[in-house]
Amino acid sequence: MVRLHPTGHHPDTPRRLEVLLEAIPNWIEAAPASVGQVERCHARDYIEQVRAVDAPTWLDGDTIASETSFEAALLAAGSAIAAVEHGGFALCRPPGHHARPAAAMGFCIFDNVAIAARHAQAELGIERVAIVDWDVHHGNGTEEIFRDDDSVFFVSMHEWPFYPGSGGPQDQAETTLNVPLGAGCGDEDYERAFDHVVEPAVRAFEPELVLVSAGFDAHAEDPLAGMNVTEDGFRELSRRSAALAPRCAVVLEGGYNLSTLPGLVAAALDGFS
Ligand SMILES: [Zn+2]
């Protein structure tokens, strides 16, 4: 994933993973997901469309793909599956939480965390999964995949109004909880929302597994968004997320400042351990 899926000057650059692998010791390489594993969340025709890309192609207005993107997207999904099997943190790209059942969106090709959730249910004997998404953007793809599925509780904390526009205060369902936060929120705002809204809802669902869509683009120095979370804030969000279920795994989503990303991921790893 450091060498595949080159994106030019796009924010989801291979350098994101390069700086993480340099800074974080003891990582292991995961196997790619199979098409069958991806098909639990995405339409076969769409998967074949991504496989068939053989020259730089815009899959949506923000998402470029080329001849190595399919392989990178399978590796990203496979690393999320490995994370759920081992209780780990998937350092992967492209990110996944905007990917829709039959379309790429917002830098995302396959929904890595959703594929990991389905794998846990199909192969690991886990029935009830909570997905906690604190990337700064609404996890609209994950929400869409599980919207009518009462075995998966999806929570998204995100800047709103903001890209992709969904996830507002009225956008709620029995097992979908959107927590929109105004621009400029910092650690205390996130921790308060987590303690008063996210934690009680997830605990009431009684998940056997919590999967975290961990984006770091809510950081104060991220170039893409307007939040003010610090390294300590991400450590706290991680610690609180891990406490929500007996099992936990984490999947990287956004985070686009190459100089701060390794420290933020290290803080999160500290919080999850
Ligand atoms: Zn994001």
Side-chain angles (χ1 to χ4, degrees):
M1 290 176 282
V2 172
R3 291 184 295 270
L4 304 171
H5 187 47
T7 52
H9 296 292
H10 189 284
D12 175 36
T13 157
R15 284 280 294 152
R16 293 179 66 228
L17 215 50
E18 196 178 344
V19 297
L20 287 174
L21 298 190
E22 279 168 7
I24 295 177
N26 303 328
W27 52 268
I28 55 165
E29 198 167 325
S34 68
V35 167
Q37 288 170 327
V38 176
E39 236 181 334
R40 293 185 180 126
C41 298
H42 295 285
R44 185 62 183 250
D45 286 354
Y46 168 60
I47 297 169
E48 292 307 321
Q49 180 199 339
V50 178
R51 191 207 297 265
V53 170
D54 60 1
T57 305
W58 289 94
L59 297 177
D60 93 324
D62 299 309
T63 315
I64 187 131
S66 56
E67 63 276 12
T68 59
S69 297
F70 182 66
E71 188 182 354
L74 291 182
L75 280 167
S79 65
I81 287 171
V84 77
E85 287 189 335
H86 300 291
F89 190 136
L91 300 174
C92 57
R93 66 174 281 277
H97 72 154
H98 297 304
R100 305 185 58 206
M105 184 172 163
F107 315 170
C108 303
I109 297 178
F110 299 143
D111 193 328
N112 307 315
V113 80
I115 292 164
R118 284 285 184 244
H119 177 80
Q121 292 182 314
E123 306 293 339
L124 305 180
I126 288 169
E127 290 177 10
R128 300 172 71 77
V129 181
I131 299 175
V132 176
D133 182 330
W134 31 258
D135 185 278
V136 79
H137 303 98
H138 176 229
N140 63 293
T142 311
E143 177 183 293
E144 186 174 347
I145 289 166
F146 297 114
R147 184 87 186 191
D148 299 319
D149 183 336
D150 62 11
S151 70
V152 177
F153 191 90
F154 176 67
V155 187
S156 182
M157 307 174 80
H158 47 267
E159 183 175 340
W160 191 89
F162 195 49
Y163 181 89
S166 47
Q170 309 304 322
D171 181 7
Q172 312 292 347
E174 195 181 333
T175 52
T176 298
L177 174 63
N178 281 308
V179 185
L181 300 163
C185 282
D187 296 353
E188 285 184 12
D189 305 293
Y190 269 82
E191 286 163 18
R192 194 180 312 119
F194 198 100
D195 291 346
H196 293 282
V197 183
V198 174
E199 183 181 330
V202 175
R203 287 213 185 277
F205 180 74
E206 298 184 339
E208 299 160 75
L209 164 71
V210 60
L211 292 175
V212 182
S213 263
F216 296 89
D217 38 11
H219 184 251
E221 291 169 45
D222 194 89
L224 260 58
M227 295 304 215
N228 290 311
V229 179
T230 70
E231 214 170 274
D232 285 340
F234 286 114
R235 186 182 287 106
E236 269 307 302
L237 282 173
S238 304
R239 193 179 63 75
R240 290 169 199 220
S241 299
L244 293 173
R247 291 178 71 162
C248 176
V250 191
V251 179
L252 179 66
E253 300 284 357
Y256 301 99
N257 183 328
L258 294 174
S259 57
T260 58
L261 186 60
L264 302 180
V265 172
L269 280 166
D270 184 39
F272 284 118
S273 62

